């Protein structure tokens, strides 16, 4: 699935997802963004399974730091800064 340590699971139509992506870009964070609503079939099922490991409610955006398992659900600037140290 993701190639990077930081993964943003998002929906292409979600304003909170767009705001999170914009914030990460402004902070020059290296991350993978996976638009779950644009995936199909088995690829989509795998992404949903992965999200549920970190966020059983399956809400978006879900930001995951794979190396330490830290998760931020929703667009929460302060928590993102804390988790990423930026």
């Amino acid at each position: 699935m993701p190639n990077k340590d930081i993964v943003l699971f998002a929906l292409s139509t979600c304003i909170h997802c767009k705001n999170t992506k914009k914030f990460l870009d402004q902070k020059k964070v290296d991350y993978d963004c996976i638009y779950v609503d644009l995936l199909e079939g088995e690829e989509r099922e795998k992404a949903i399974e992965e999200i549920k490991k970190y966020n059983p409610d399956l809400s978006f955006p879900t930001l995951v730091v794979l190396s330490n398992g830290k998760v931020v659900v929703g667009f929460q600037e302060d928590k993102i800064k804390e988790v990423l140290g930026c």
Side-chain angles (χ1 to χ4, degrees), residues 7-53:
V7 184
L8 175 64
F9 292 98
L11 299 176
S12 62
T13 57
C14 168
I15 189 64
H16 302 293
C17 299
K18 289 176 185 176
N19 288 336
T20 301
K21 192 171 181 341
K22 182 178 175 181
F23 178 76
L24 294 172
D25 290 343
Q26 288 172 340
K27 295 292 183 183
K28 301 193 183 335
V29 173
D30 191 21
Y31 67 99
D32 276 341
C33 180
I34 298 173
Y35 287 113
V36 179
D37 59 325
L38 301 181
L39 301 175
E40 294 181 1
E42 191 177 312
E43 197 175 25
R44 185 179 187 149
E45 288 174 28
K46 283 183 181 179
I48 289 170
E49 283 177 35
E50 186 72 16
I51 297 165
K52 284 184 177 180
K53 291 180 193 174

